[in-house]
Amino acid sequence: MKLNSKIPGGPIEKKWDDHRFHLKLINPANKRKYTVVVVGTGLAGASAAASLAELGYNVITLCYHESPRRAHSIAAQGGINAPKNYTNDGDSVYRLFYDTVKGGDYRAREANVYRLAQVSGSIIDQCVAQGVPFAREYGGLLDNRSFGGAQVSRTFYARGQTGQQLLLGAYSAMVRQMDAGKVKLFARREMLDLVVVDGKARGVVCRNLVNGSIESYVGDAVILATGGYGNVFYLSTNAMMCNGSATWRAHKKGALFGNPCFTQIHPTCIPVSSGHQSKLTLMSESLRNDGRIWVPKAKDDKRQATDIPESDRDYYLERLYPSFGNLVPRDVASRRAKEMCDKGLGVGPTKLAVYLDFADTIKRNGKEYIEEKYGNLFDMYQQITGENAYVSPMRIYPAVHYTMGGLWVDYNLESTIPGMFVLGEANFSDHGANRLGASALMQGLADGYFIIPYTIGDYLASNKFTPVDTSHAAFQDAEKGLSAMTKKLMGINGKRTVDDFHKALGKVMWDDVGMARDAKSLKNAIKEIPRIREEFWKDVRIPGSDGNFNQELEKAHRVADFLELGELMARDALHRKESCGGHFRQEYQTADGEALRDDKKFSYVAAWEFKGVDKTPALHKEPLKFEYVKPAQRSYK
């Protein structure tokens, strides 16, 4: 299989405009003849559904929550990037492009990243027009703050709940189209198979999560906007329902999976406190604007944080990276926090935490300044920990947060299955080996509002479609296959819970495929995960029945997929004998502990083809070429 990224020629600043001009169009009257199935109703899915319906297409959208307002996009806190340069500090489209390519450790396509930077300003205009209440300065202009990996302020925000406000904007646009009859929303449905007819994606098969029935939905194209797969680690900042099943089932139908080992560890999360925890909580990266990260200089310092004088503190990020300080990229900050704890300098009951201290800013600007910018985050921290971060420092530690890997897509956001497009975190395309903060919301809305309306139109205009309905053999076979898998799960009647297997997988993933990896640990994971998978299919117990509401059955489907995806992640990490961004191989690092890339051997997208559950997947490579941002050792000093 030869991968065709379909990157247009010409100067990078003109690629997208020229490409749009050459895409085929569908006249307004004909758009109503086409139906698009959109799976997922977060920022990427809701914005795509609203935009396509506004253009005149018929849209079927599926959501596994009872309302799109519960999509995990609502949990994003800190902000969304755009190079408006309102602060007049030297920002530009090119600088955002440069920071993003560098931040991803030179493992992303230049053309995709430049387009992302190019359209990001329009996102802000769109959201302001929708009424999104971005923070404003005293004079009424939109305010900006800084995020990691940048030396300019380009992040627009709404206190610590930016994702919520952006999602409400996209949701309201989608509801308007629902009222107009152009969007049909089916809530509490989970996609569990993709249907391919004559080589084209023509629909999906879902389980109705309320009554257990198997349902099919037909369209002329399918969009997956189903988020990432961070919950393969069990503990992550993702909501518990977040999963990788939609993308994984599509992968098994022929969609290549790009860079699965590129997962992001976020440096500012509330540390694990108990083995009974089911998820972790993010503290926004924006807090690093006004909080200083430090550890005691001496091991086992038992004093309270407020009793430790300045002379006995190590503000290690400020010491190691004077140019960026506490705003280094996430992968760098995460590794350094782990390093401090590994040296015995960790704080708190578990010693797996570092301090995030706001005392200097409160002393300088007052408590009201912090309350105005981050008040809800401080409230959340107190509710979870019982501690007042206005008085004593927060304790933070890295945790799994985001997945840069995802289904491979070309420049049009189309997967290797014709007619199946993948948006937002579900695809691999824009962030390389590490995502800069405030870029996830940017990518999701860029894909949904400003890219897919053009590219999907070209696909629909370029193809002829045989009339298909749910009685077609491909839909019937998919429904029978899903029913058979469900009955097999229900019939095992073993002794161990689904969560028990998920925790076992998560421990292997965190220990062996987590923040630091090496050949030995990855080989162990490749051995252990199939063993856990085999036990799962012999000894899992799912109470209840498959003919009604059954959350254990929901989880079982997702964990079954994680038990396959986890092995692919380990294989991908083992084959990539270098360190880059969130993929840190212990064997490949510089003398001062930074990631050591091997551009000669690994400057490519690793796109994996499914060959069978117990068979070795096939690796396909898309070479990465850098004409504008030349690869160099990343330095934030």
Side-chain angles (χ1 to χ4, degrees):
M1 181 183 297
K2 186 175 181 180
L3 296 173
N4 180 6
S5 60
K6 298 181 182 177
I7 296 173
I12 197 165
E13 66 274 10
K14 295 183 179 179
K15 286 183 187 293
W16 177 232
D17 290 339
D18 289 347
H19 187 65
R20 283 190 300 172
F21 179 75
H22 289 98
L23 292 173
K24 292 184 178 180
L25 300 177
I26 302 173
N27 78 53
N30 283 340
K31 287 188 174 76
R32 66 176 69 101
K33 299 177 181 178
Y34 295 97
T35 298
V36 180
V37 179
V38 180
V39 186
T41 53
L43 284 181
S47 60
S51 300
L52 293 173
E54 184 82 33
L55 287 170
Y57 296 106
N58 303 301
V59 178
I60 294 171
T61 187
L62 307 171
C63 167
Y64 61 44
H65 290 297
E66 70 279 6
S67 166
R69 289 175 296 175
R70 289 191 61 201
H72 189 58
S73 298
I74 206 169
Q77 298 168 350
I80 176 171
N81 288 329
K84 291 282 197 179
N85 197 33
Y86 286 168
T87 54
N88 200 30
D89 57 359
D91 203 7
S92 65
V93 169
Y94 196 90
R95 189 176 294 278
L96 175 53
F97 158 65
Y98 173 87
D99 287 344
T100 305
V101 173
K102 176 185 175 184
D105 221 350
Y106 307 95
R107 290 293 176 263
R109 284 192 203 126
E110 282 190 327
N112 286 67
V113 177
Y114 192 90
R115 177 177 63 183
L116 176 64
Q118 197 174 7
V119 305
S120 60
S122 299
I123 298 171
I124 305 303
D125 298 338
Q126 170 96 354
C127 294
V128 169
Q130 290 173 338
V132 172
F134 286 120
R136 293 179 181 269
E137 296 178 331
Y138 180 76
L141 296 177
L142 297 182
D143 196 13
N144 288 123
R145 58 189 177 199
S146 298
F147 257 64
Q151 291 181 301
V152 296
S153 294
R154 62 163 67 104
T155 304
F156 296 79
Y157 66 97
R159 294 187 82 193
Q161 50 190 230
T162 313
Q164 180 188 54
Q165 300 304 323
L166 292 172
L167 182 62
L168 289 174
Y171 170 70
S172 65
M174 188 174 75
V175 169
R176 179 171 176 268
Q177 295 305 317
M178 290 166 58
D179 186 62
K182 297 304 293 181
V183 172
K184 293 182 179 178
L185 170 67
F186 295 90
R188 303 296 286 144
R189 268 78 170 180
E190 181 158 29
M191 172 191 157
L192 291 173
D193 207 353
L194 177 78
V195 179
V196 180
V197 178
D198 297 329
K200 301 183 184 75
R202 294 300 304 270
V204 299
V205 175
C206 299
R207 182 173 184 269
N208 184 316
L209 300 182
V210 176
N211 61 28
S213 63
I214 305 300
E215 301 173 353
S216 291
Y217 298 89
V218 184
D220 300 299
V222 174
I223 292 174
L224 297 190
T226 52
Y229 48 92
N231 275 351
V232 69
F233 290 87
Y234 186 70
L235 285 179
S236 80
T237 66
N238 289 268
M240 290 178 65
M241 286 181 70
C242 293
N243 64 87
S245 286
T247 50
W248 188 251
R249 303 284 171 104
H251 172 60
K252 294 173 79 168
K253 280 294 181 74
L256 299 194
F257 210 111
N259 299 331
C261 78
F262 286 172
T263 55
Q264 179 164 84
I265 313 296
H266 198 293
T268 55
C269 300
I270 297 178
V272 176
S273 61
S274 166
H276 300 291
Q277 276 184 261
S278 56
K279 77 174 299 295
L280 298 173
T281 302
L282 172 70
M283 289 285 102
S284 171
E285 180 177 320
S286 62
L287 293 168
R288 292 199 272 154
N289 274 283
D290 292 299
R292 301 177 71 192
I293 295 173
W294 62 276
V295 293
K297 289 182 178 179
K299 292 182 180 180
D300 300 319
D301 193 324
K302 292 182 170 54
R303 290 176 289 181
Q304 294 293 318
T306 51
D307 294 333
I308 300 175
E310 287 287 312
S311 58
D312 292 342
R313 300 181 179 187
D314 180 12
Y315 295 92
Y316 57 90
L317 291 178
E318 298 173 28
R319 170 174 56 83
L320 293 169
Y321 307 101
S323 293
F324 283 75
N326 295 296
L327 286 172
V328 293
R330 292 174 175 178
D331 60 318
V332 176
S334 294
R335 281 199 298 275
R336 291 308 186 190
K338 180 180 185 297
E339 179 185 357
M340 294 298 133
C341 294
D342 289 347
K343 288 180 177 179
L345 300 172
V347 300
T350 65
K351 302 301 180 184
L352 290 176
V354 299
Y355 288 127
L356 178 60
D357 196 337
F358 297 87
D360 282 359
T361 303
I362 291 174
K363 182 178 179 181
R364 183 172 61 250
N365 296 334
K367 180 183 175 184
E368 294 76 13
Y369 172 87
I370 295 293
E371 286 179 323
E372 181 182 351
K373 284 197 166 187
Y374 315 109
N376 63 305
L377 298 174
F378 277 65
D379 292 343
M380 188 163 64
Y381 183 84
Q382 184 161 16
Q383 289 172 5
I384 293 172
T385 66
E387 299 173 5
N388 185 348
Y390 293 108
V391 176
S392 58
M394 289 182 179
R395 290 195 301 271
I396 57 169
Y397 192 70
V400 173
H401 176 60
Y402 188 89
T403 51
M404 286 76 66
L407 293 184
W408 184 93
V409 292
D410 61 19
Y411 190 71
N412 292 332
L413 304 183
E414 188 174 14
S415 71
T416 48
I417 299 176
M420 190 186 81
F421 296 79
V422 190
L423 313 187
E425 190 180 359
N427 74 35
F428 87 100
S429 67
D430 291 359
H431 306 296
N434 175 65
R435 178 174 67 78
L436 294 184
S439 288
L441 306 184
M442 176 173 64
Q443 186 207 348
L445 292 179
D447 288 355
Y449 281 140
F450 298 110
I451 299 174
I452 196 63
Y454 290 96
T455 61
I456 202 169
D458 178 76
Y459 169 77
L460 294 171
S462 302
N463 286 273
K464 294 183 179 180
F465 300 93
T466 304
V468 169
D469 60 28
T470 57
S471 66
H472 189 282
F475 281 90
Q476 292 297 305
D477 290 346
E479 289 184 13
K480 290 176 184 176
L482 178 54
S483 296
M485 181 180 179
T486 300
K487 291 191 180 301
K488 182 178 179 182
L489 284 167
M490 295 300 301
I492 296 170
N493 202 28
K495 298 178 181 178
R496 295 173 61 184
T497 65
V498 177
D499 279 346
D500 191 24
F501 284 104
H502 197 177
K503 288 180 181 179
L505 171 65
K507 179 170 174 43
V508 172
M509 293 299 297
W510 180 251
D511 291 347
D512 294 340
V513 200
M515 209 181 330
R517 313 155 174 182
D518 59 33
K520 182 180 179 182
S521 73
L522 293 168
K523 289 177 181 176
N524 183 66
I526 293 169
K527 181 182 72 174
E528 283 296 304
I529 293 171
R531 181 188 63 77
I532 298 171
R533 186 168 65 234
E534 183 179 1
E535 291 180 9
F536 172 86
W537 284 103
K538 289 180 178 178
D539 201 26
V540 71
R541 181 178 181 82
I542 303 169
S545 72
D546 63 345
N548 53 26
F549 180 74
N550 189 335
Q551 289 186 301
E552 289 302 300
L553 177 57
E554 292 174 34
K555 289 192 290 186
H557 272 287
R558 297 165 189 164
V559 172
D561 294 328
F562 281 148
L563 285 164
E564 297 171 6
L565 172 56
E567 183 181 352
L568 180 64
M569 293 169 65
R571 288 186 181 277
D572 186 40
L574 181 62
H575 110 275
R576 191 172 283 277
K577 297 177 181 177
E578 63 165 355
S579 289
C580 54
H583 167 63
F584 192 75
R585 286 281 296 266
Q586 301 274 34
E587 311 98 311
Y588 307 103
Q589 56 182 300
T590 64
D592 54 356
E594 303 292 354
L596 185 61
R597 296 193 322 273
D598 186 343
D599 292 329
K600 289 185 178 180
K601 294 181 180 178
F602 294 100
S603 188
Y604 59 76
V605 178
W608 296 88
E609 181 184 0
F610 183 77
K611 291 292 187 181
V613 173
D614 297 314
K615 296 180 180 179
T616 303
L619 173 62
H620 305 274
K621 301 176 182 179
E622 179 202 336
L624 293 171
K625 297 178 181 179
F626 296 93
E627 301 178 60
Y628 296 87
V629 183
K630 298 299 182 184
Q633 179 64 39
R634 277 199 307 168
S635 175
Y636 293 95
K637 296 182 178 181

